[in-house]
Amino acid sequence: MSIDSAEDERVALASAWRLQRTGNFVAAFDRAQEALRRFPDSRALAHLSVLALASCGSTEAALEAFHATSLGAAPDEDFLALEARLLKDAAFSRRAGTEAVLRRAAQTYEEVASRTDGTYSRQNAALLWTLAGDGPRAERLARSVAGRITELNVPDQEEAAYFHWATLAEAALVLDDRELLKRAVVRANPLCRQNSWARSRTFLQMRRLSGLRPDLSDVVDGWYRPPVGLLLSSDCLAREPEIGAGLDGSDRPGLVYCVGGGRSGWQALAASGIQLHVIYPGAPDDEPNAPSPMVQSPRDASGHGDSHTWSSLLLDEGDDHDRICAEAALGLSLGHADALCAPWTVLAQSGGRWHAHRDPDRQGIRAAIASRAQGGEERSRYGFLFADAVSYSSLNAADTRRYWTQLLPKTAAEVLRRHSSSIVLRKSWGDAVHAVFRTASAAASAALEMQAATAQLAEELEPGRRLSFRIAVHYGAADQGFDPVEEAPSIFGPQLSFAARIVPVAPPGGVFVTEPFAAQLTLEGAGNVHCSYVGTTSLAKSYGRVRLLTLA
């Protein structure tokens, strides 16, 4: 590798890590993936790519990606411990078999500690053995960690010092040592205050363990987490926000969501060093990697600049752009804050100063955004579900009859019948099933029920083959009208075409959803579903590149 190439790799790695630390995991994964296409042998980029994907909630996909790398053969403790970390995340995301996976992850961490003599791996093993019920083993490991990481050998570098105190805090929790925990929290809190990834990760680990140490939960709750921010114009706030005492200092948000247009507001905030994600109604012409006349598709819907990242909702010309983008930013920021167990704050500029609303009323802000609807007739928004049977065109005549008379009635048709009160329109086109729902929550429930019904179906299409649907769900505006061919009421609009283009790229048996859909789920309070980032994906028929998530 040339010197210039090595420097390019270091720059790309540093850029992706900067996004990861601010909590912008989606962009960190995309940036790492872009760099890996140029530097496919880089273990450091592969490590960060898997780490970012796991941080997006896509644990199973991250495990698959890890096993496709050579990280398990590297001498670096962070690389070796990545599989154990993913197994740990998998254990916490499962409803059954958690203890067995916890033990496997604990054993993997302990093996890494034996190979590298690393305190990070040893302490993670201690934490997991505690949760798995092996207290003596956990205490032995934690005492070894506390003997090595002391209050006298703190590293000089800030991030290393942070992880020093974070590891000692976790060891104190395992050992049920309140005074040691308090000292570690006090020493750690001034460090790395914009590192949302590290701080939230440590807090989530300690909170799990504090369930077994309830008398220490008050100390754990004092662990600092950078807030996730939403930048709005001041007229969206129900009352004048409180002045953010530390907004210009150490108490700044790690990541702020905002709306494109009116660039002077968010650009000034970005210039202060705060990482922003900007929501646009369409692909902006002035972004670094927005479509240009040389680009075939004007519908690329994601990108990044030096100071911010952006995504587009690909809205129609007749949509109320400002309001819809603001609601999407609201939903994404709330969902991100909840996932990180971080405070949520609303920023606004007034009198030439930035203000932070420290205790924002979520419903009040949503109502204020909705009240800003532009004049004219408002277009209704819906949840759009599309599904098609995988390899339907290759079925023989007997299996085609079985599909229509036995399989489809037991899966999609039965599920949609249960949700009929929430459905505006449902129809079939060949092997495809299409339904329009009044809410995103109803569309999500139907998609997951359809997925489950198909997976449980015992009937085979032919030896070795079973029915499998690819499902895509989107949320957007559409028009109600009349279908002159079917001579029946119908729903139509570009957002339906956009949703239909997602189905061909969805995996068999999987459910892909869009960012607007994920944002709306949060606004509807759908706590029983989870969206995990897949990546920026090219849609069918040259429809552009968009951010997609899986639904579970």
Side-chain angles (χ1 to χ4, degrees):
M1 181 183 295
S2 67
I3 294 176
D4 289 344
S5 181
E7 179 61 25
D8 288 345
E9 180 184 339
R10 283 193 292 270
V11 170
L13 183 63
S15 175
W17 265 116
R18 183 170 62 252
L19 293 168
Q20 177 72 9
R21 291 184 178 106
T22 62
N24 200 341
F25 307 130
V26 170
F29 174 70
D30 283 349
R31 186 74 64 91
Q33 285 287 294
E34 290 172 8
L36 274 171
R37 286 191 283 271
R38 298 173 57 204
F39 310 105
D41 297 327
S42 172
R43 282 177 169 171
L45 284 169
H47 168 255
L48 179 53
S49 174
V50 174
L51 193 65
L53 187 59
S55 300
C56 294
S58 302
T59 307
E60 297 301 328
L63 267 167
E64 290 182 13
F66 172 83
H67 290 143
T69 71
S70 61
L71 294 173
D76 186 280
E77 182 187 13
D78 287 340
F79 295 175
L80 286 173
L82 184 54
E83 182 179 22
R85 174 229 159 94
L86 298 174
L87 290 171
K88 174 174 59 177
D89 288 353
F92 292 130
S93 65
R94 295 185 182 186
R95 296 180 180 179
T98 297
E99 184 173 317
V101 183
L102 280 174
R103 288 178 172 272
R104 181 183 170 195
Q107 185 63 53
T108 304
Y109 267 125
E110 198 167 347
E111 290 170 359
V112 171
S114 297
R115 290 176 61 182
T116 64
D117 199 30
T119 52
Y120 159 77
S121 300
R122 186 171 282 106
Q123 176 48 44
N124 271 279
L127 183 145
L128 292 174
W129 283 125
T130 303
L131 295 174
D134 193 339
R137 188 171 187 173
E139 185 174 332
R140 173 177 55 80
L141 291 167
R143 289 200 181 282
S144 173
V145 170
R148 295 182 176 203
I149 296 181
T150 72
E151 298 173 69
L152 301 176
N153 59 351
V154 184
D156 293 329
Q157 198 269 338
E158 182 178 2
E159 187 170 285
Y162 166 80
F163 284 112
H164 177 98
W165 291 114
T167 303
L168 189 59
E170 291 180 13
L173 265 173
V174 172
L175 298 172
D176 201 9
D177 189 331
R178 183 180 183 87
E179 291 306 313
L180 180 59
L181 175 62
K182 287 172 63 176
R183 293 197 300 272
V185 170
V186 167
R187 295 293 296 273
N189 273 350
L191 305 173
C192 295
R193 290 176 72 88
Q194 268 71 63
N195 193 331
S196 294
W197 162 69
R199 287 206 149 272
S200 293
R201 179 78 185 175
T202 303
F203 176 74
L204 287 170
Q205 293 211 137
M206 292 199 298
R207 195 176 69 164
R208 292 184 185 112
L209 194 55
S210 65
L212 301 177
R213 307 280 190 268
D215 56 318
L216 301 180
S217 60
D218 60 319
V219 184
V220 171
D221 288 341
W223 191 264
Y224 178 77
R225 287 98 66 206
V228 174
L230 173 68
L231 176 61
L232 292 176
S233 58
S234 56
D235 59 344
C236 280
L237 300 177
R239 59 184 175 87
E240 186 67 20
E242 302 168 8
I243 295 176
L247 189 59
D248 297 323
S250 62
D251 195 26
R252 302 188 302 172
L255 178 64
V256 173
Y257 290 82
C258 66
V259 176
R263 295 179 60 87
S264 59
W266 67 259
Q267 278 196 328
L269 190 62
S272 72
I274 292 179
Q275 178 69 41
L276 273 81
H277 182 75
V278 187
I279 307 293
Y280 284 105
D285 295 332
D286 51 353
E287 290 295 349
N289 44 346
S292 68
M294 299 299 293
V295 178
Q296 291 184 350
S297 173
R299 304 182 68 83
D300 286 351
S302 182
H304 49 75
D306 293 336
S307 62
H308 66 284
T309 56
W310 63 270
S311 59
S312 165
L313 303 184
L314 300 177
L315 298 178
D316 305 343
E317 291 182 3
D319 290 335
D320 189 351
H321 290 174
D322 289 345
R323 178 174 61 87
I324 294 175
C325 287
E327 287 182 345
L330 171 64
L332 291 173
S333 67
L334 284 171
H336 193 56
D338 291 345
L340 294 178
C341 288
W344 180 68
T345 187
V346 174
L347 308 181
Q349 194 174 31
S350 177
R353 297 183 60 189
W354 292 108
H355 299 265
H357 200 342
R358 291 301 181 190
D359 186 23
D361 174 9
R362 298 185 177 195
Q363 294 304 318
I365 289 174
R366 185 182 180 189
I369 292 173
S371 70
R372 299 176 65 204
Q374 298 173 355
E377 185 176 350
E378 181 181 349
R379 301 174 73 207
S380 297
R381 285 189 283 169
Y382 305 96
F384 309 120
L385 184 152
F386 285 86
D388 68 15
V390 178
S391 301
Y392 175 85
S393 60
S394 66
L395 298 182
N396 58 34
D399 279 340
T400 301
R401 285 193 293 271
R402 189 177 296 115
Y403 172 78
W404 282 99
T405 60
Q406 299 178 39
L407 305 186
L408 192 61
K410 293 178 182 178
T411 54
E414 184 174 319
V415 169
L416 296 180
R417 191 178 304 114
R418 287 200 299 268
H419 289 271
S420 58
S421 62
S422 301
I423 294 177
V424 180
L425 174 74
R426 52 179 159 167
K427 60 172 63 180
S428 61
W429 292 320
D431 66 310
V433 176
H434 168 45
V436 180
F437 294 80
R438 291 186 172 86
T439 65
S441 302
S445 296
L448 293 173
E449 289 174 26
M450 192 181 303
Q451 181 190 50
T454 306
Q456 294 166 5
L457 200 63
E459 180 110 15
E460 292 187 349
L461 289 166
E462 61 183 43
R465 284 185 57 186
R466 296 181 184 276
L467 173 64
S468 179
F469 281 116
R470 295 178 297 194
I471 305 174
V473 198
H474 174 52
Y475 186 81
D479 297 300
Q480 297 188 30
F482 187 79
D483 187 326
V485 176
E486 294 187 352
E487 296 185 344
S490 187
I491 302 289
F492 60 89
Q495 294 295 315
L496 275 76
S497 300
F498 171 51
R501 299 289 79 80
I502 299 170
V503 177
V505 302
V511 182
F512 271 7
V513 304
T514 62
E515 270 193 326
F517 185 83
Q520 183 64 21
L521 282 178
T522 298
L523 294 180
E524 293 179 13
N528 60 333
V529 292
H530 176 66
C531 296
S532 304
Y533 185 57
V534 174
T536 299
T537 306
S538 296
L539 300 186
K541 298 186 178 181
S542 301
Y543 214 77
R545 288 173 54 79
V546 298
R547 296 179 170 200
L548 292 177
L549 306 92
T550 57
L551 186 71

